[in-house]
Each structure stands twice: as C-alpha cells, then as structure tokens.
Amino acid sequence: MEDSEAGPVLRRFTWEEIGQRTGRGPPPQERWLVIERKVYDISHFYRRHPGGSRVISHYAGQDATDPFIAFHLDKTLVRKYMSPLLIGELAPDQPSFEPSKNKKLVEDFRELRATVEKMGLLNPNRTFFILYLCHILVLDVAAWLTIWYFGASTVPFLFSAVLLGTVQAQAGWLQHDFGHLSVFSKSRWNHWVHKFVIGHLKGAPASWWNHLHFQHHAKPNCFRKDPDVNMHPLFFALGKTLSVELGVQKKKFMPYNHQHKYFFIIGPPALVPLYFQWYIFYFVVQRKQWVDLAWMLTFYIRFFLTYLPLLGVKGILGLHLLVRFIESNWFVWITQMNHIPMHIDYDKNVDWFSTQLQATCNVHQSLFNDWFSGHLNFQIEHHLFPTMPRHNYWKVAPLVKSLCAKHGIEYQCKPLLTAFADIVHSLKDSGELWLDAYLHK
C-alpha cells in the first residue's frame, strides 16, 4: 500500500520475527538485522558487504545499531547504500532493541557515545601518526646501518634482528590504526595507507586482516563468530563453559590439562615462517587479492635487495626467521593478554557495552606500556570505540569506568606482567575444568 504524500508504508515487524532470520535452519535462510529501528534484509547483500560477509552475518536476527555506529565513519553515505535493503521497521509496540537487553545500560552507553563525539575524541592528531611512522622508518634504517657498518658478526646481527623485530611489532600497531579507520576522515584514505603499512612494511595482506579482525571486534570471544578463539578445540580448551562442554562430550584433540605448558611452544611462536606465512599467500591468491599480493612482494623484494649483499642467502634467511620469531612472541603475548583470561562462550546476544567488557581487560598505563602494546593496554576503550584514535583512549577511560561503576560491571585493569601470567593461569584453569568433566561427568 502507498500513501501519495508519505510514500510507501513500511511493514511492521516484531523481535520474534526478526530473531528467526539468522541465516540458519532450513531454506530459505533469510538474514535480517535492525539498525535504528529499521529492518534490513541482508540475505543477498551480505556476500557483497565491504567489511566482509561474516562480520555482518554475525548480527543476523539481532539489533546492529551500536556496531553499525562503531564501525562506520561516513554513516550518511552508508545509509544511502542500505536503502535498497530496507524492508520495514519495528512495530510501534516493540522496543528499539531486544527485550532481553539492559535498556538503561544501552541508553547510557549511547549517551556516552554522543558525549565522546561532542568532546572530539574521535578526531585524530595526524602529527602523532606521522611521528609514529617516522620512528618505525628510523628503526628500519638503523637495523640496516648496523650490519652495513659493523659487519655480520654475532652482536650486530642480533642487534639488527631486535631492531627489525621492533619495526615489525610497531608497524603491526600502526597498520591496526589505519585498518580501524582511525587516522583519516575518509575511509578510502585509511584503506590506501593501510595497504602500504601492512603490505610494504610487514609483508601481509590488508584483506586478510580485515576479514579476521572485524569479526573479532563484532563478537569478541564468541565461539564460532570470533576467529581469534578458533584455536578451541583443536589446540586449546578455552573458557570455563566451553571447556566443560568439551569434557562432557568426551572430546580430546590435545592433552588440555597440559595446555598451559605447551602454549609456550605453539602459541607465541605462531607467526614464524611456517604455516602462517604460507597461509597468507594462499589467502590472497585464493581470493584474487592481487593488489595486496603486489604490496606483499614489495616487502620481500626490498628486504632481500638490502640485506642479501651484506649477509648472503643463509644469513638473510636466518635473519628473517629470527625477526619473525621476535615479532611473533611480541604480538601473541600482547594480543592474548586482553582476551584469553576473559569470558569465552557462544554468542548470547547481549548489549554492545557488556559484550566488549566481558571479553576485554586493560593493562596499566605508562609510556612503556603504551608504546610496547601500541596502546592496546586500553583494550576496553578500543573495543567500545574501534575508530577512536589511540592517543585519546586515556581521555575516555574515566567515563567508561564511571559507566561500569554505575551498572555494577567490572572494569579490569592490571599490571603488564600480571596480564601475561593470567594467560597461562587461565589456560591451566580451563584445562583442569576440561579434565574434571572428561573424567567425571
């Protein structure tokens, strides 16, 4: 039916109807989601979603207002492209989000988001990022000059490897900034520089990072939705609930009661040039990401051209392996300290604020911790506001703490070494829970 003045009359839906359109079950496997009370059918669009098919599908059957606001810079432009997907709106008697969610908490967080925008905390200081890139380039040049001037003996070789490992870790944090659209006001500018930083400075594909990392932010620590916890159950038993479930099912892919020990063997060294380095090349070829492949090749060409004359074939391969080993240990300990010790379970479709707080924790602020972790010691603030420039995390942290206190939500912040130790302790605890359930339930 159509009103001559108001245009088409939108269909009205209930949350019960929307909750059935998750893309699962018998055909037709419809996927609907809600943004600002509008109902969108993404059943055919999700495969063409610029951020990836899985990240948007994770919200099928749910309210996606808060992640939509959190992830997109130019919301007006995005809404224009969403118009053909619009099929209706929530019925007047339906709440703006699922009845199971904490109404006051959702409203308070959205008020906090508005405050953050008014304070200008989403606006980047580009001088910060220019200087950050410069310090990476200086370290990169210093590594080469060390071997060029002092020769390839053990001490300069190891010192150069440490410098290059630092370059890789810090470039990893910088590409993270561009990947999250935190540096420029235009998404495409962030995407262009992101390809340079992750491709030319690190030798990895931007498309691979986007595919995995956006899913992680959409549903952190949610099994089967967050790829960062896909190591359960093949390598580790993660989280209390999932570990007990695994034990009750009598599944044993690894001796999980010893996982806090073998973590040191297969966890921190995960990025060395074995499976991971080959897989990212397979990823770009299989998905025909030729631009990413070109940028990746420039990294390896530059590395071999600059170090081959100084070290020879064996020396340069040894250097590359050592640099990747340093980078891998640095990356894994930092990225896992905020998540592995936290709540891990299936997606329970709780509100955005609770989703992020139960899956993340912070590490104490200091100049070293900020630099060493790329400001991911403020993981809570980063997850709540993924496009926020990292130099503003400390400014919003008191507001987040205040909201947590108001609603009785724990805001975890700990020393750096404690955060590292908690990874091991949590693996030990979940391994023991698995063993108990495996033997006695």
Side-chain angles (χ1 to χ4, degrees):
M1 185 172 68
E2 188 170 306
D3 188 303
S4 58
E5 293 184 3
V9 176
L10 294 176
R11 293 171 60 193
R12 307 292 178 84
F13 299 102
T14 65
W15 277 111
E16 183 180 1
E17 292 174 290
I18 295 163
Q20 296 171 357
R21 270 69 175 193
T22 62
R24 301 184 184 91
Q29 295 177 336
E30 295 178 297
R31 290 172 168 85
W32 295 1
L33 53 75
V34 177
I35 297 175
E36 297 169 333
R37 295 191 63 85
K38 303 296 184 184
V39 181
Y40 298 90
D41 184 350
I42 61 167
S43 303
H44 301 291
F45 169 77
Y46 79 98
R47 295 186 185 277
R48 297 181 283 112
H49 179 236
S53 62
R54 293 185 183 179
V55 66
I56 192 171
S57 293
H58 292 338
Y59 275 91
Q62 301 178 11
D63 176 57
T65 301
D66 291 314
F68 170 79
I69 293 173
F71 290 138
H72 298 95
L73 291 184
D74 192 344
K75 298 171 186 62
T76 302
L77 177 63
V78 177
R79 286 189 182 98
K80 187 174 84 170
Y81 287 102
M82 289 164 52
S83 296
L85 309 176
L86 180 65
I87 59 171
E89 62 184 6
L90 291 171
D93 64 336
Q94 296 292 298
S96 296
F97 37 83
E98 296 91 328
S100 59
K101 292 180 178 176
N102 185 329
K103 181 175 185 291
K104 184 58 178 173
L105 178 55
V106 173
E107 292 173 346
D108 284 349
F109 173 71
R110 291 179 181 177
E111 185 178 334
L112 172 60
R113 170 81 191 196
T115 300
V116 164
E117 292 177 358
K118 290 178 183 177
M119 292 174 65
L121 297 183
L122 299 179
N123 300 327
N125 179 348
R126 295 196 182 93
T127 301
F128 171 88
F129 293 104
I130 291 172
L131 293 175
Y132 201 89
L133 174 60
C134 289
H135 112 279
I136 292 172
L137 298 177
V138 167
L139 290 173
D140 205 1
V141 172
W144 183 85
L145 288 174
T146 297
I147 294 181
W148 175 77
Y149 186 80
F150 293 103
S153 57
T154 302
V155 173
F157 181 88
L158 293 177
F159 185 72
S160 180
V162 170
L163 289 177
L164 287 173
T166 303
V167 167
Q168 288 302 300
Q170 294 299 325
W173 309 145
L174 184 60
Q175 68 82 21
H176 181 263
D177 297 316
F178 288 104
H180 274 293
L181 314 180
S182 299
V183 183
F184 298 111
S185 59
K186 299 292 185 181
S187 296
R188 65 177 178 273
W189 298 351
N190 286 288
H191 291 315
W192 289 341
V193 184
H194 185 216
K195 288 182 181 294
F196 164 76
V197 176
I198 194 173
H200 183 68
L201 297 184
K202 289 189 61 61
S207 56
W208 161 81
W209 184 90
N210 292 337
H211 169 70
L212 296 178
H213 198 67
F214 290 154
Q215 292 185 71
H216 163 68
H217 271 269
K219 294 289 185 179
N221 280 11
C222 292
F223 183 51
R224 297 202 175 110
K225 290 192 174 183
D226 178 3
D228 284 10
V229 295
N230 279 352
M231 49 194 163
H232 173 96
L234 188 58
F235 296 109
F236 300 100
L238 300 178
K240 296 178 180 178
T241 303
L242 298 179
S243 297
V244 171
E245 177 187 72
L246 206 60
V248 170
Q249 295 172 347
K250 308 304 178 185
K251 292 183 178 180
K252 182 183 179 181
F253 298 100
M254 295 285 282
Y256 303 121
N257 51 310
H258 296 290
Q259 62 184 3
H260 59 292
K261 302 171 186 175
Y262 65 72
F263 168 77
F264 292 93
I265 301 173
I266 67 175
L271 304 189
V272 295
L274 298 172
Y275 167 77
F276 171 78
Q277 294 297 327
W278 293 112
Y279 171 74
I280 58 177
F281 276 97
Y282 167 78
F283 180 93
V284 294
V285 172
Q286 192 264 339
R287 294 179 179 242
K288 299 180 181 180
Q289 298 290 336
W290 307 124
V291 174
D292 279 348
L293 179 61
W295 276 114
M296 292 167 65
L297 291 175
T298 65
F299 165 81
Y300 288 97
I301 291 171
R302 174 175 61 88
F303 184 80
F304 277 85
L305 287 180
T306 51
Y307 284 96
L308 187 62
L310 303 177
L311 298 174
V313 175
K314 290 184 179 180
I316 198 172
L317 292 177
L319 179 64
H320 182 64
L321 181 64
L322 182 55
V323 168
R324 290 302 188 196
F325 180 79
I326 294 170
E327 173 202 9
S328 182
N329 278 269
W330 193 329
F331 172 82
V332 170
W333 283 105
I334 290 297
T335 57
Q336 299 309 305
M337 69 180 183
N338 304 110
H339 296 297
I340 290 295
M342 303 302 291
H343 182 71
I344 303 174
D345 201 350
Y346 295 98
D347 179 22
K348 301 300 183 182
N349 189 21
V350 297
D351 61 272
W352 176 259
F353 190 83
S354 300
T355 295
Q356 307 304 329
L357 263 293
Q358 70 184 8
T360 57
C361 64
N362 279 7
V363 168
H364 291 167
Q365 181 186 21
S366 70
L367 287 177
F368 175 78
N369 286 352
D370 292 353
W371 174 83
F372 189 67
S373 68
H375 289 83
L376 294 182
N377 50 328
F378 287 96
Q379 191 74 218
I380 293 173
E381 289 70 26
H382 170 56
H383 266 256
L384 290 173
F385 309 100
T387 63
M388 179 180 288
R390 62 161 110 162
H391 51 73
N392 286 335
Y393 293 158
W394 68 274
K395 297 178 182 178
V396 76
L399 301 179
V400 175
K401 289 179 184 178
S402 178
L403 185 56
C404 286
K406 179 179 179 180
H407 290 274
I409 297 174
E410 184 179 10
Y411 181 101
Q412 288 197 35
C413 189
K414 59 188 75 169
L416 180 65
L417 295 181
T418 300
F420 289 163
D422 282 350
I423 299 174
V424 181
H425 293 155
S426 65
L427 289 174
K428 185 174 187 294
D429 290 343
S430 58
E432 290 174 350
L433 287 171
W434 166 82
L435 182 62
D436 180 67
Y438 186 83
L439 294 177
H440 307 298
K441 294 183 181 180

